[in-house]
Amino acid sequence: MRYLAASLCAVLASHAAAQDDLAIRWQTDFARARAKATEQHRPLLLLFRCER
Amino acid sequence: MVRAPQELAAAAAPYECVRITDLRDVDVRLLRFDFDLTLAVVLMNADGTIYHRFGTRPGSDPLAWSSIPALVQLLRDTLDDHRSYERAPSPPRAQPPLRAIDLPPLQQRLAAGQKVECVHCHMVHDAEHRIAVDSHAWRDSDKWLHPEPARLGLDLDPADQARVRAVAGGSPAAAAGLRAGDRLLRISGGPRLRTIADVQWELHHAVAGACELSVEFARAPAAGQTAPMTATATVVLPDGWKECSPRDYAWRPFQWNLSPSPGFGGPMLTAAERRERGLPPDRLALRVQYIVDWGERAAGGKAVRAAGVKEGDIVLSFAGADDFESAPHFQAWVRLHCHVGDPVDVTLLRDGERRTVHYALPE
C-alpha cells in the first residue's frame, strides 16, 4: 500500500509522464478544460498539487 | 492488483484532466476542498457540481488514504455518477467568481509591496481565517477542520473508501448500529459518498456542538436474501465531537494561525545530536532556531527573549510536558492545549547546563 501511495504522488506529479501516450494528458488551463468538458459532456478531474 | 500508471491513465481518459499548482487564479467559491493538503483531487461536472474529493490523510501517515487502486476505482465509479447526473442535472446556484489572489489579505500583502510568488492551497485557509477574525465571525470550534471519520468511531477502508472497515466499541457510530462491512451512502441527505474526503467534507459542514447526523448506509444481504439492505442510522454526537489530539492536528499548516504560540520555533534534535548530549530518543529536545520577534506577534517574541530564551537553546520541557514526537506536534500542543497568558516554565539546555525560564504565553 505504501509503495502504491508513493507511486500515486509520483505519477500524478510527473511532468515527464505527460509525454507518454499511456499517461494522463494534463492541461493547465481550467477555463479551457471546463469549456471543452461542457461541449463534450465529459467530467473534469482536477489535481491540486503543491510542487514548490 | 492495479498496474500503474497505465490503469490510472486509462481510468482518467474519459476526463478532462487539469493540474493546478498555483491557486492564484482559482475560483475559491467554486473549487473547495481541504486546503491544508498538498495533494488533492476533485472530480466534478463542468456546471460546478462536485462529485467527489480524494486525497485526504490521517494525522499519522500522509499517504495512508491515497493509493492508485483507490483512485482508479473512484474514477470508474464517478463515471457512473456523471452519466446519472447528466440525465437530470441540477447545477449549483451561480456565484460571482472569487480568485484566490483577490482575497483581501492577499491583496493587502501585494499592496504592502510583498511578493506572492505562488498562492499555496493553505494560504486560502490562512486568508479566510483572517477575514473571519477581522469580521468577528471566527468561532474557536472552526479550527477543527475536516474531522476524520474516527471522530464518529468509524475506520474506513483506504482501498474502498466508503466501506466501514471497523467500528470502535462504545463510539457514536457503534451506538447508532453501524457495523464493519457497511457501505456509507449519504450523510444528512447530502451527495453520494465514495471517499474518505467526501465523508470529511460532510463532517466539516456539520455543527461542532452536540448534534445528530443521519447516516444512510447499505449492508450486505442477510442469509436467505439477495438484495443489500439500505437503512439510515442516527449518530448522536456529543459537544466537542470534532476535536482531535495535537498529534493528529500537527500536520496541518493551519495550526500556525492559532494562538497561543510558544514564541519560538525550530527542529527537534537528530538521534545523533541527542546521543551526544545524553538525551533520551523520544522526549522533547527542540533547538530554538528562531524567536518570533517580528510581524504581528513581535511583542510575544520580545517577551520570550526578555525571559531569557536564546536562539540555539535546546528546549527539554514546556509547561511540564515533554512527550512530543515532532516539532509540529509540540507547536500544535501549545496551540490546542494552552491558553494565551498561561504562565509556563520552560527547561532549556544551554552550553551543557540546564536552566528554567518563566513567561506568560504570548498570542
Side-chain angles (χ1 to χ4, degrees):
Chain A
M1 176 63 82
R2 279 198 70 86
Y3 165 73
L4 288 169
S7 300
L8 172 68
C9 290
V11 167
L12 293 180
S14 168
H15 288 286
Q19 308 301 318
D20 185 339
D21 282 347
L22 292 174
I24 299 170
R25 296 173 183 278
W26 293 109
Q27 306 170 59
T28 56
D29 185 335
F30 172 65
R32 182 176 294 179
R34 192 178 183 190
K36 195 171 163 190
T38 302
E39 185 184 310
Q40 300 186 4
H41 296 278
R42 284 157 63 91
L44 286 148
L45 185 169
L46 310 184
L47 171 71
F48 296 88
R49 171 72 177 162
C50 191
E51 294 184 351
R52 300 189 187 193
Chain B
M1 176 70 73
V2 172
R3 285 174 294 122
Q6 289 88 347
E7 290 218 15
L8 181 59
Y15 292 77
E16 292 297 323
C17 300
V18 186
R19 177 164 40 206
I20 298 169
T21 57
D22 183 343
L23 258 62
R24 178 177 304 265
D25 294 322
V26 165
D27 178 359
V28 293
R29 287 193 177 124
L30 175 70
L31 300 174
R32 300 197 65 79
F33 53 95
D34 184 345
F35 291 119
D36 273 340
L37 296 166
T38 55
L39 183 144
V41 172
V42 172
L43 303 179
M44 64 184 291
N45 189 282
D47 73 4
T49 298
I50 291 181
Y51 297 133
H52 302 291
R53 296 170 176 84
F54 177 87
T56 53
R57 52 163 292 174
S60 55
D61 182 348
L63 298 174
W65 293 344
S66 294
S67 71
I68 291 170
L71 180 55
V72 167
Q73 191 58 49
L74 176 65
L75 291 172
R76 290 171 178 160
D77 290 342
T78 303
L79 277 186
D80 292 338
D81 297 338
H82 176 68
R83 290 188 199 102
S84 173
Y85 178 85
E86 287 271 298
R87 285 194 290 273
S90 54
R93 186 169 56 87
Q95 298 184 80
L98 174 63
R99 297 188 312 155
I101 193 64
D102 292 331
L103 288 164
L106 293 175
Q107 284 298 303
Q108 287 159 13
R109 283 177 61 168
L110 292 173
Q114 296 176 27
K115 285 185 180 173
V116 180
E117 291 181 351
C118 176
V119 177
H120 299 277
C121 296
H122 72 84
M123 292 166 69
V124 176
H125 260 166
D126 300 343
E128 292 181 340
H129 169 258
R130 170 52 54 195
I131 293 166
V133 169
D134 289 349
S135 62
H136 306 289
W138 177 255
R139 296 161 301 183
D140 188 57
S141 60
D142 292 340
K143 67 190 175 197
W144 303 114
L145 303 162
H146 299 269
E148 295 181 17
R151 303 277 69 76
L152 275 57
L154 292 172
D155 173 22
L156 300 180
D157 184 348
D160 182 5
Q161 300 199 345
R163 183 180 166 276
V164 177
R165 187 164 61 176
V167 178
S171 67
L178 289 164
R179 295 184 206 158
D182 288 346
R183 181 170 298 282
L184 305 186
L185 299 175
R186 288 181 175 77
I187 293 177
S188 301
R192 172 71 190 264
L193 305 169
R194 290 201 187 275
T195 69
I196 296 172
D198 288 346
V199 174
Q200 289 182 269
W201 181 258
E202 295 301 325
L203 299 182
H204 180 72
H205 289 91
V207 298
C211 64
E212 292 183 356
L213 293 182
S214 62
V215 178
E216 187 182 339
F217 65 97
R219 181 169 291 165
Q225 297 182 327
T226 52
M229 177 193 83
T230 301
T232 299
T234 300
V235 180
V236 180
L237 296 165
D239 193 33
W241 67 272
K242 288 189 179 185
E243 297 175 16
C244 69
S245 70
R247 187 175 272 108
D248 286 340
Y249 202 94
W251 69 273
R252 289 191 172 277
F254 188 81
Q255 69 156 299
W256 301 103
N257 292 295
L258 303 177
S259 290
S261 146
F264 58 80
M268 289 287 213
L269 295 193
T270 64
E273 289 169 333
R274 288 169 183 268
R275 280 196 300 274
E276 276 174 27
R277 292 164 177 80
L279 298 173
D282 55 354
R283 295 284 143 180
L284 180 64
L286 182 145
R287 175 181 287 109
V288 178
Q289 196 167 61
Y290 59 87
I291 294 174
V292 187
D293 57 1
W294 69 87
E296 291 180 352
R297 301 191 182 200
K302 286 173 182 167
V304 167
R305 196 182 289 285
V309 179
K310 292 183 178 179
E311 285 91 348
D313 286 346
I314 310 298
V315 180
L316 300 180
S317 99
F318 189 93
D322 67 355
D323 184 13
F324 302 109
E325 62 187 30
S326 66
H329 177 206
F330 164 70
Q331 294 283 350
W333 182 85
V334 174
R335 287 165 164 78
L336 297 177
H337 181 79
C338 302
H339 301 90
V340 174
D342 280 356
V344 292
D345 293 344
V346 184
T347 304
L348 304 170
L349 182 66
R350 182 188 303 162
D351 300 329
E353 292 186 8
R354 291 177 187 236
R355 63 189 69 200
T356 301
V357 301
H358 318 273
Y359 60 90
L361 272 180
E363 283 200 21

